[in-house]
Amino acid sequence: MFCIFWTAAPQMVSASVGTISFPVPQFSAADTNLYQYLPFPMGASVGIGRMKNNAKYSEVVSKEFNSITAENVMKFRALHPAENTFNWADADYLVDFAQKNGKRLHGHTLNWYQYLPAWVTNFSGDSIAWENMLKTHIQTVVAHFKGKVTSWDVVNEYFNDDGTIRPSVWVKNLGPDYIARCFQYAHEADPDAILFYNDYGHEYSSAKRTAIANLVNSFKTRGVPIHGVGMQFHMTHTQSDANINAAMAFAAGTGLKVHISELDVRVNVNKVKHLIFTDAMALQQADRFRFVVKAYNTAIPKAQQFGITTWNVGDADSWVPSWQGAPDYPLPFDANYLRKPAYKAIIEGGK
Ligand code: 9MR
């Protein structure tokens, strides 16, 4: 079947980003999808504006992936903009899309130090009021999506890169162990939901890996319901094999489900203002995508493979350029949703 896929006389299109000049196989709508070539779920995070208004985007999402994550619309500020107001419309749109198209929906994120509405950052209650606010948010959200959202990033980015606990309004007002209660509250609201701790930097920070491993062990000892670790993998195209392998070994060692939850591979490490995406960059990037997928598939035991999710779909959709203040091309599809060498590399990595 694999051979048929690659020999079915695809339309050869020179990828349109920068100066890539070698042909990348393109396929018609009738062709097979990315996820069908991978032995675990393959997802993308999605932006609500493009899902609603860009038919090409939603078609690619529906065709290529079998898991989706809300890039922003399930975050605190989006769902709960005022103390007594929940705004479900955008997230429910994704629920509807997922159900109609048979996609797994991963929830992101119940608790984070960012993307908070002003009413939370300015909240002046005592610790009981803070606890009630935390619990109400988590349980209202999880209950709303019960049976529709398979899994949640319960807490996102609790640690600094050096393994210390990141200062946040949550830690400040509730103490560091509030994180355990987030998992308990989520579990109470939906005992079937798969609950993740999500963070970045596993591929470069052994201190953060150790901190997360200690957290997981302490949760297991105390019976706190945690089922998975999300490793974001916002990577550079120069990241080493050894570092990627170290992250996979750590994740396998937790014994929990492992989600590569926000994969992208940026190439503009020097933040060049008008960077041209060269053939060499495309190939180096593809090589890193291939290596990550292969390392995941090899090092993570089958039962722990929750899947891999890229952080959005095409290069023009990525958060990276605005974050780094310079252009970049971090995803497997170009700005026109043509498949880049990274796309083929992902399939090769999963073999
Ligand atoms: O891609 C997201 C971007 O659109 C938002 O503006 C930003 C702030 O909420 O969050 C981005 O996604 C982040 C994710 O939620 C958590 N890990 C890091 C991601 C990139 O910043």
Side-chain angles (χ1 to χ4, degrees):
M1 190 176 176
F2 191 81
C3 286
I4 292 167
F5 176 53
W6 288 112
T7 57
Q11 177 199 1
M12 300 303 266
V13 177
S14 288
S16 61
V17 174
T19 61
I20 290 184
S21 54
F22 47 85
V24 179
Q26 306 296 331
F27 300 90
S28 73
D31 290 321
T32 319
N33 320 333
L34 179 60
Y35 70 84
Q36 289 187 333
Y37 286 89
L38 292 165
F40 42 73
M42 184 71 209
S45 79
V46 296
I48 191 69
R50 282 174 167 80
M51 285 296 281
K52 287 180 174 172
N53 302 318
N54 183 335
K56 179 71 187 166
Y57 180 88
S58 54
E59 183 197 329
V60 171
V61 171
S62 147
K63 177 170 163 47
E64 303 280 12
F65 301 99
N66 58 350
S67 178
I68 56 178
T69 302
E71 185 178 20
N72 289 312
V73 298
M74 291 188 186
K75 290 174 181 171
F76 202 128
R77 192 172 77 213
L79 285 181
H80 197 171
E83 186 162 3
N84 297 310
T85 306
F86 283 86
N87 170 18
W88 306 115
D90 285 344
D92 283 349
Y93 186 94
L94 295 185
V95 167
D96 192 51
F97 177 90
Q99 290 184 336
K100 285 192 175 126
N101 292 280
K103 308 299 178 192
R104 182 178 73 184
L105 187 54
H106 175 68
H108 173 85
T109 173
L110 295 171
N111 181 269
W112 193 20
Y113 72 99
Q114 278 189 37
Y115 222 83
L116 296 170
W119 75 268
V120 170
T121 44
N122 298 332
F123 193 73
S124 62
D126 60 12
S127 61
I128 293 172
W130 270 95
E131 188 74 27
N132 186 46
M133 183 242 278
L134 176 81
K135 181 176 181 180
T136 300
H137 177 78
I138 290 176
Q139 296 207 322
T140 307
V141 170
V142 174
H144 179 85
F145 296 107
K146 189 172 187 305
K148 300 168 181 165
V149 162
T150 304
S151 48
W152 282 100
D153 290 333
V154 177
V155 177
N156 191 47
E157 300 170 10
Y158 173 77
F159 291 113
N160 291 308
D161 283 355
D162 66 2
T164 56
I165 295 168
R166 186 192 293 279
S168 70
V169 293
W170 307 111
V171 172
K172 183 171 158 217
N173 290 286
L174 294 167
D177 200 43
Y178 92 92
I179 186 173
R181 300 196 296 280
C182 291
F183 282 81
Q184 277 155 345
Y185 294 149
H187 187 63
E188 282 166 19
D190 183 358
D192 295 327
I194 304 170
L195 304 181
F196 284 83
Y197 172 71
N198 193 53
D199 212 327
Y200 64 86
H202 308 75
E203 70 281 18
Y204 61 76
S205 172
S206 65
K208 197 182 256 187
R209 287 198 297 268
T210 302
I212 297 169
N214 290 340
L215 179 81
V216 167
N217 288 337
S218 123
F219 277 14
K220 284 182 182 169
T221 306
R222 296 164 61 197
V224 177
I226 183 169
H227 313 117
V229 287
M231 302 200 291
Q232 295 180 13
F233 265 80
H234 293 293
M235 270 181 29
T236 64
H237 75 324
T238 53
Q239 190 51 267
S240 71
D241 293 1
N243 280 354
I244 293 166
N245 284 335
M248 298 302 169
F250 144 80
T254 65
L256 301 180
K257 301 245 183 245
V258 179
H259 186 197
I260 305 286
S261 55
E262 305 185 12
L263 180 61
D264 48 30
V265 181
R266 60 189 185 273
V267 298
N268 194 359
V269 285
N270 296 320
K271 302 183 178 19
V272 175
K273 280 297 166 205
H274 301 287
L275 183 81
I276 302 295
F277 190 56
T278 62
D279 291 4
M281 286 175 200
L283 291 176
Q284 205 177 343
Q285 176 185 67
D287 180 70
R288 293 299 77 190
F289 270 102
R290 183 187 303 103
F291 191 87
V292 168
V293 176
K294 186 99 195 149
Y296 178 84
N297 199 27
T298 309
I300 309 297
K302 260 280 143 269
Q304 288 175 252
Q305 292 180 358
F306 186 75
I308 296 183
T309 296
T310 59
W311 204 240
N312 224 314
V313 179
D315 285 337
D317 312 321
S318 172
W319 70 290
V320 171
S322 65
W323 168 71
Q324 71 181 4
D328 217 311
Y329 309 90
L331 288 163
F333 295 87
D334 74 8
N336 297 315
Y337 303 110
L338 295 176
R339 294 158 174 174
K340 293 164 61 183
Y343 177 98
K344 190 173 174 217
I346 289 171
I347 293 176
E348 290 164 355
K351 281 205 260 181

